[in-house]
Amino acid sequence: MTKVFLIKIIFLAAALFFWPVQSAAIESAKFKLIFPNLKLQKHSDFIEKIVVTVSCAHIEAINAIPMDWGIKIVRMTASEEELHAAAGHGASRIPKLGKLNGAILINGIDAECFNLTVKIGISGDHFRELHLTRNQLKLFRQR
């Protein structure tokens, strides 16, 4: 064996030994996004838009879309994506998140820089926007 070949083998073995196994497991896993209870006023508060922003991850799919809503995925940069969902008109606003809870699938999470935020536009007596942070949201591993 040549000295160069031996050095390459040692380098490769060391790289495989120190490879972050846990990080790779998180990256390959798929997670469902679960929203908290928004405590909306019945018959007066309605959800008319949702913006989900993920950093260092990928929005893979949305499995439920309310009737007459539009969905758009925007890839801001290589490491940030947004899902924009909005009611097409006033009658298609929704009183609760319902089927959207667990319908958004996120994968490719890089644990070192991952972040998740959600903005929810609510109309009622007046328009307001709720800002939810990663700590207020839940991610459940999909099987």
Side-chain angles (χ1 to χ4, degrees):
M1 267 196 222
T2 66
K3 190 174 187 178
V4 173
F5 182 72
L6 187 57
I7 290 172
K8 286 181 181 179
I9 289 177
I10 292 170
F11 178 79
L12 181 60
L16 289 174
F17 180 78
F18 291 108
W19 191 264
V21 175
Q22 182 181 9
S23 179
I26 290 173
E27 286 180 17
S28 65
K30 296 178 183 182
F31 295 90
K32 292 179 179 184
L33 174 59
I34 305 296
F35 300 97
N37 182 354
L38 301 179
K39 300 177 183 170
L40 300 177
Q41 296 297 316
K42 194 172 187 177
H43 304 296
S44 64
D45 285 343
F46 294 93
I47 300 166
E48 64 178 62
K49 73 174 188 169
I50 300 168
V51 178
V52 177
T53 304
V54 296
S55 299
C56 298
H58 173 62
I59 300 169
E60 182 175 290
I62 179 165
N63 298 323
I65 301 171
M67 291 295 290
D68 293 327
W69 273 55
I71 304 290
K72 178 171 67 170
I73 301 289
V74 179
R75 291 190 167 78
M76 313 276 275
T77 64
S79 64
E80 187 169 279
E81 297 181 5
E82 284 186 348
L83 179 146
H84 295 255
H89 50 82
S92 61
R93 298 173 302 166
I94 55 177
K96 59 184 178 179
L97 289 167
K99 291 181 182 177
L100 283 174
N101 239 347
I104 300 170
L105 196 61
I106 298 172
N107 74 354
I109 293 174
D110 181 346
E112 291 185 24
C113 62
F114 174 70
N115 196 24
L116 171 66
T117 60
V118 174
K119 290 186 281 187
I120 300 176
I122 299 170
S123 57
D125 294 334
H126 62 282
F127 181 83
R128 67 185 192 278
E129 199 167 72
L130 295 178
H131 294 266
L132 304 173
T133 64
R134 180 179 173 189
N135 294 334
Q136 295 170 298
L137 301 160
K138 294 180 182 169
L139 291 173
F140 284 112
R141 187 181 295 258
Q142 184 181 13
R143 295 174 192 205

